[in-house]
Amino acid sequence: NAPKNINFKKILQKSLIFALFINTASALESNIIEIMQNLQHDSDLIRKGFFLDKEDIIKEGIQKHKDDFNALQKFNIEVFLDSTTMNYSPIMKSFMSNIVEQRIALENFLAKGYKLRAYEAYQQLNLNCMKCHALSREWK
């Protein structure tokens, strides 16, 4: 009778560990989706600020983008890639670095009053976002 209890306990432990892993993976995916939605909102806010010529809205969008992008960078991007996209990881990390560089350029141009150049930096920031999305989705 004792060996059956030991086997049952091991099976139960393994099941609980597996369930915990699935829940953690699901939470990670849920968090990344929420962060991406927030980044989309932040980007829309920046664009809205440019269209309305409201620098305070642009700055609010930039600050929110910083915060949300910092949250995104805490994730190991490779967790979200599969065997066919894993080799894209260095390219995606490069796009992420470019996004930060373009956001800094956006802020610097905006601070100097160069709104057109700031908007161009914003467009490059978004282009790098879309390049990463296109690569991860294997768009042709």
Side-chain angles (χ1 to χ4, degrees), residues 59-134:
K59 288 179 179 179
E60 179 186 353
I62 291 170
Q63 185 56 54
K64 287 182 176 190
H65 190 277
K66 276 184 193 179
D67 296 341
D68 292 326
F69 202 77
N70 286 340
L72 175 66
Q73 289 180 305
K74 292 178 182 173
F75 286 91
N76 176 3
I77 196 163
E78 293 175 358
V79 170
F80 302 100
L81 302 176
D82 60 28
S83 61
T84 61
T85 57
M86 186 60 73
N87 59 330
Y88 299 151
S89 176
I91 300 167
M92 294 170 127
K93 289 177 183 174
S94 173
F95 292 150
M96 292 175 79
S97 292
N98 292 342
I99 289 167
V100 173
E101 289 174 17
Q102 292 303 323
R103 192 184 59 234
I104 291 168
L106 162 59
E107 286 183 291
N108 289 337
F109 287 133
L110 193 62
K112 293 177 183 175
Y114 300 134
K115 287 187 181 173
L116 184 57
R117 296 206 53 200
Y119 186 74
E120 289 170 349
Y122 162 76
Q123 287 178 312
Q124 289 300 312
L125 179 152
N126 277 324
L127 180 61
N128 279 283
C129 291
M130 286 311 300
K131 285 180 178 180
C132 194
H133 284 249

Side-chain angles (χ1 to χ4, degrees), residues 13-25:
Q13 286 174 337
K14 287 180 182 181
S15 296
L16 289 174
I17 290 170
F18 181 73
L20 180 62
F21 173 77
I22 294 298
N23 285 340
T24 302

Side-chain angles (χ1 to χ4, degrees), residues 3-16:
K4 287 183 182 178
N5 281 344
I6 292 172
N7 286 338
F8 178 74
K9 285 181 182 179
K10 285 183 181 182
I11 291 171
L12 183 61
Q13 286 174 337
K14 287 180 182 181
S15 296
L16 289 174

